[in-house]
Amino acid sequence: MAAPATVSFSLPPLASGWSADKDFKPVGKITSATQRTIEPVGPHFLAHARRARHKRTFSEDDRIQAQERAKNVEEDDYGEISEPEDPSMLMRDAKDWKTQDHYAVLGLSKYRYKATEDQIKKAHRKKVLKHHPDKKAAAGKAEDDSFFKCIQKATEILLDPVKRRQYDSVDEEADVDPPTKKQLQKGNFYKLWGGVFKAEARFSKTHPVPSFGDDKSTRDDVENFYNFWYNFDSWRTFEYLDEDVPDDGESRDQKRHTERKNANARKKRKAEDNARLRKMLDDCSTGDERIKRFRKEANAAKNKKRLDREAAEKAAKEAAEKKKEEESKAKANADAKAKQDREATKKAKEAAKTAVKKNKRVLRGSVKDAHYFSPADPSPADIDSVLGDVDLVISKCEPENIADLASRLQGLKVADEIKGVWRSEVQRLVGDGKLKDGDAMSLSA
Amino acid sequence: MAKTVEPGDRFAIGITFGNSNSSIAHTIDDKAEVIANEDGDRQIPTILSYVDGDEYSGNQAKAFLVRNPTNTVAYFRDYLGQDFKSIDPTHCHASAHPHNTNGTVSFKLKDQPDADEPSTLSVSEVSTRYLRKLVNSASDYLGEKVTSAVITVPTNFSEKQREALIKAANDADLEVLQLVADPIASVLAYDARQESKVEDKMVVVADFGGTRSDVSVVASRGGMHTILATAHDYEFAGTHLDQVLMDHFAKEFIKKYKTDPRENAKSLAKLKAEAEATKRALSLGSNASFSVESLADGCDFASSINRLRYEMIGRKVFEGFSRLVDGVIKKAGLDVLDIDEVILSGGTSHTPKIASNFRNIFPETTTILAPSTTPTAINPSELQARGAALQASLVQEYDAEDIEQSTHPAVTTVQHISNAIGVISTSEDGEDTFVPIIAPETAVPTRRTIHINAAKDGGDVLVRIAEGGTHIKVTQPEPKPKEEKETDSDDSDDSDFDSDEDDEEETREKVWKIGSTLAEAAVRGVKKGGKVEITINVMADLGVTIQMREVGGKGGVRGTLAKP
C-alpha cells in the first residue's frame, strides 16, 4: 500500500452539542456499486488474489507478507561475503600475482574451492565497488590501483574454470594436514582424518567420494573407502608453479629448455603428490582401529570351529569331574552314618545287657531274699534247684519280661509274695508254651 | 489439456502476437527488455513466406510480398479461432488468400520443395509455425530454452479465439502462462517504471496498430486495473495512413508517367512497402524521401514529402483516431477532464500528429504518454511486449493451477463502488469541500488512508464521511479562478467547441459534489497544527470500517457501517 496521501484542507471544528456513542455516528450506507472484472495482472492484483483466495484482511496480509520478507532478508544475508582485509594484502603488488591468495583477495577464504561462480562474481563486484581507483582518487588519496589489479587478476583466474583448477591444485590454504601422533592421542581419530580426506577429495575426478565414516562404519564402507583412495583418480596439476617461459623469439633454445624443465617439474610434482597421498593412506590405515577390529573378527570366524570343540571338551571334562566329586562325597557321608549307627546299637545293646544283668541280679536276689522258699535254712540242693529254675526262667524270658519281672520283684521282701510273683511268671511262660508243666517246680510249687 | 511446465523448469518471456507485427521481451533484474530477432528487428512482421521449401519470417518474409505473394502469409492473427464467414480478408489481398476449409480458415501454400500442389495449412498451423519462429529467436538470443510465455490479446478476443491461440502456442511447444489484455500490458509496462507511483488514476490506452485500432478506458486504482470501456476500429489504422501516402505518390507518378502503379500487383506491393517506410521516416523527421526502383513499366520513381503535407492528406484518419478516443470516454460515462493519463501504444502511435491532437483534446493536467509529447515515454511498439514480459516474470514461479485459480472470475469479478468516498472539509473561504479518499470505480475490498489538517486552532474536530460525485462545471468567460482539486484547466480548446464563434473560451472544470453522508465522527483534543489520519476500509460485501486518529496520537475513533 502506498503511503497515505496528505491533503492540505482542514477539517471543520466540532459543533458544540454534537455527541454520539463512542464519538461515532453511522448515518448511511454505500449507495451503489457495479460488478466489474479486474484485469488479473500486475503485482497489486497478485496481492489481491492472495487475499481473496486465503480470505485474509489487509492487516493480516500485511503481517504475513512482512514475515515472509523478513525471512527472505535473512536468507539473503546468509553467505554474505565480508571478511576483514589484511592490511599487508592491500599493499600487495599485482606483479606477484602467482603468490597471492586469490580467495583471500576476494574475501572468500572461508569458502575457497567451495566458492560458487555466483559467489565469486558477487565478491568481485563488492570488492570493485570498494577498491576502484577512481573512488580512491575521489576520496583524495593517491591514485594507487595495485590492489585493484590484484582483485582483477584474482577474478580472472577464479572465473576461468581451467585456471581455477590450476590454482586450486596448488592452494595450500585449502589443504588439511594429516594429524600428528600427538593429536591422535587425544582421540578424535575419525574427525581428524575425515577432514584430511574431505579436503583431498576436491581433486577427485569421480564423484561422489566415499566418506571416511566413523567407528560405526560397516566393513564394506571402510573397504570401499580405502579402495577408492588407493585407486584415487586426481585432476591435480602443477602448471601453476611453472616457471615463466620466455616469450621472445630470439632464444628458442632457452624457451624449449624451460618448457622441458617445466614438464619435468610437473611430472615430478605429480609423482610426489601421488606418493604423498599413498603414504598418508598407509599412515591412516595403520592407525585405523576399524581395520584391526575387522581383521580380528575375520580371524575369530576362522578359529571358531576349533574353539567350539575345545570348549565342548572342556565342558565335558568339567562335568565328569564334578560327578566324581559328588559321588565320593556321598560315599563318605554314608560311611560316617553307618559308623554312627553301629555305635549307637552297640551302646543300646550294652545298656540292655547291663539292664538284663541287673534284672537277673534282682531276680536272683529276690529268691535269696525269700530264702530260697524254704522255711528253714535252705540246703545247698534247694538253693541249687531254685537258682537253677530261676536261671531257666530267665533264659526263657525276653529281656523286657525280665525287666517287668524285676520291677515287680523290686522291693518285695516277703517270701510268699515273691513266690507268688514267680509262680504267676512261670504259669505265664507255661501258658505261652515256653515252659513245660513240671519245669521250675521249685518256683511254681 | 493445456501444456504445463513445473515452475522450477520454466523460462518465461512475454510475447505480443500482433496482426501486423509481433514482439518478444524478457526481463533482466525486473526490467523488461525487448529482444531483437536474428535480423536485428524488435518489431517482427507477422509474416511467413515459403520459397522452395525454405521458411522465412519477419522482415525477410515481408520482402517476399513483392516477388512471392502467393506463398507469403500475412495478417493472419485475427483469423485464429474464427469462422470463415466472419473474417475480413481485405488485408490479405496482397498475400496468400484465406480459404474456406469446412468453415474454418486456411491458406494454400507451397511449403514443400518439390511439391506441385500447394498444401493446405490451417490458420492454427500457420500461427504455430510463426510462434515457433518467435520462440526460437528468443531462445537463441537468451541462450536458454524458452518454455513459457505470457501472450497479449486484444480485449475483444472471444473465448474461442483465446483457446485457439493457446492451442497454437502449445503446438509450438510453448506453455501459455496467461493471456493478458493489450491495454493492460501497456499500463503494466508504465507501472513498472521506477519513477512511477501507485496512485488512483483514470487511463486511456490508445493502441493504434497496423490493421486495427483499439482504445480502452482503464480505471487504475492502487495498482489494480479495471477496464471500463473499449472501442475497436478497423477503418482507421496504420494501413490507412499507408494508403493515403500510396495514393499521394501514385497520383504524382501518374502525372509523370501516365500509368497507375496501383493497377499492377507487383507495383502496388512496392508502392506499399515504400509508403510504409516513408511513414516511419515522417514520424522521426519533418521530411522524408520516397524512392522506388522500377515502380511500374520499368520507370524509377523518386519524390519526397514533408510532414505538414502528410498531416494534411492524412487528416481524415487522424481525426478518426481522435473521434475514437472521444467516443470511448463517453461510452465509459466520463469526461476528458476525468482522464489522468493517455498511453499511446502500437506502431502507428509514433506519429507525432496523433499525440498533438490528443494534447488538444485533453486538459493540461492529463499526461499524454507518447514519444513526441513526453521524452521519457516508452517506445509505443514495445509497450505490450514489455508488459507481457513483466507479467511473465511475476507469475512464472507459480504453479499452473495457482495461476488458473487466481485468474478465475470468482477472484477477478468483484464489486466496484460507483461513487467516491471522502471526507468533508472546509476550504479556505469557509465552504464545505469534498476531499476524495477512495476514488469511484475502485474495486473492493480496498483500503485507503489520508492525512488531513485538523482545524486551525486544534481542539475537537468533526469528521464527516460522505459519498461524492463529480460534475463538469462550465464557467462563462472571465471567471474567478477557484482553488479546487482539479483546478486550472482553463484553456481546453475542445474540438466540441471549435465551432464557437465567440473568441472568449469557456472554462470547464471538474467539481466534486457532496453526496449522501455515510458517517460522522469526532476526533477530540487535536493539537494545534496537528493532522488527522483517516483510514477507510471497504470490505468485499461493501461493509465499511472507518478509523480516525490524530497522526502520532494513540487510540482514535473507530466505527463500522453495515453492508447495504
Side-chain angles (χ1 to χ4, degrees), chain A residues 153 163 175 206 221-222 264 300 304 308 310 316 319 370 393 439:
Chain A
K153 193 73 200 174
K163 284 187 182 162
D175 281 342
T206 45
D221 286 345
V222 176
N264 284 336
K304 199 171 178 248
D308 278 355
E310 279 172 5
V393 170
D439 283 345

Side-chain angles (χ1 to χ4, degrees), chain A residues 113-130:
Chain A
Y113 61 95
K114 287 178 220 130
T116 62
E117 200 177 313
D118 207 36
Q119 276 174 323
I120 294 168
K121 278 181 188 161
K122 273 189 188 157
H124 171 239
R125 180 151 182 78
K126 207 172 157 184
K127 290 285 174 190
V128 163
L129 289 179
K130 192 171 168 192

Side-chain angles (χ1 to χ4, degrees), chain B residues 289 315 357 392 409:
Chain B
S289 64
R315 183 162 187 255
N357 275 352

Side-chain angles (χ1 to χ4, degrees), chain A residues 106-278:
Chain A
L106 291 182
L108 290 169
S109 46
K110 137 172 105 171
Y111 298 98
R112 307 216 78 90
Y113 61 95
K114 287 178 220 130
T116 62
E117 200 177 313
D118 207 36
Q119 276 174 323
I120 294 168
K121 278 181 188 161
K122 273 189 188 157
H124 171 239
R125 180 151 182 78
K126 207 172 157 184
K127 290 285 174 190
V128 163
L129 289 179
K130 192 171 168 192
H131 293 285
H132 199 279
D134 288 357
K135 278 204 173 162
K136 274 191 186 163
K141 288 177 204 161
E143 204 165 325
D144 169 23
D145 62 350
S146 66
F147 187 64
F148 181 71
K149 279 182 184 158
C150 291
I151 293 169
Q152 299 297 56
K153 193 73 200 174
T155 315
E156 179 200 318
I157 284 168
L158 295 185
L159 281 182
D160 181 333
V162 177
K163 284 187 182 162
R164 187 170 174 198
R165 279 211 156 174
Q166 290 176 0
Y167 176 67
D168 280 343
S169 290
V170 297
D171 182 10
E172 284 170 3
E173 294 291 321
D175 281 342
V176 178
D177 287 331
T180 60
K181 277 189 182 141
K182 217 175 203 175
Q183 284 171 316
L184 286 174
Q185 271 167 3
K186 288 181 200 155
N188 272 345
F189 177 86
Y190 301 105
K191 207 178 150 195
L192 289 170
W193 276 109
V196 173
F197 285 108
K198 215 174 197 175
E200 208 66 34
R202 68 187 192 271
F203 301 123
S204 178
K205 274 183 192 165
T206 45
H207 283 278
V209 177
S211 75
F212 189 59
D214 53 21
D215 58 348
K216 288 182 198 71
S217 302
T218 63
R219 189 177 170 176
D220 282 350
D221 286 345
V222 176
E223 274 175 3
N224 191 16
F225 174 82
Y226 281 105
N227 283 343
F228 179 89
W229 281 100
Y230 274 113
N231 301 316
F232 190 61
D233 195 3
S234 160
W235 51 255
R236 193 170 191 179
T237 61
F238 293 91
E239 273 136 304
Y240 195 81
L241 303 175
D242 279 358
E243 243 176 77
D244 282 340
V245 179
D247 206 18
D248 44 358
E250 285 173 20
S251 54
R252 205 189 316 161
D253 287 342
Q254 173 72 18
K255 189 177 158 191
R256 292 206 178 136
H257 173 69
T258 322
E259 274 172 355
R260 241 190 333 267
K261 228 165 82 182
N262 280 338
N264 284 336
R266 269 184 230 160
K267 232 181 258 168
K268 196 176 154 207
R269 286 204 180 94
K270 183 82 182 167
E272 277 170 5
D273 185 51
N274 287 341
R276 176 192 62 89
L277 183 64
R278 197 154 270 272

Side-chain angles (χ1 to χ4, degrees), chain B residues 455-467:
Chain B
K456 284 212 172 59
D457 309 324
D460 300 350
V461 289
L462 173 70
V463 179
R464 190 145 70 92
I465 306 294
E467 288 193 321

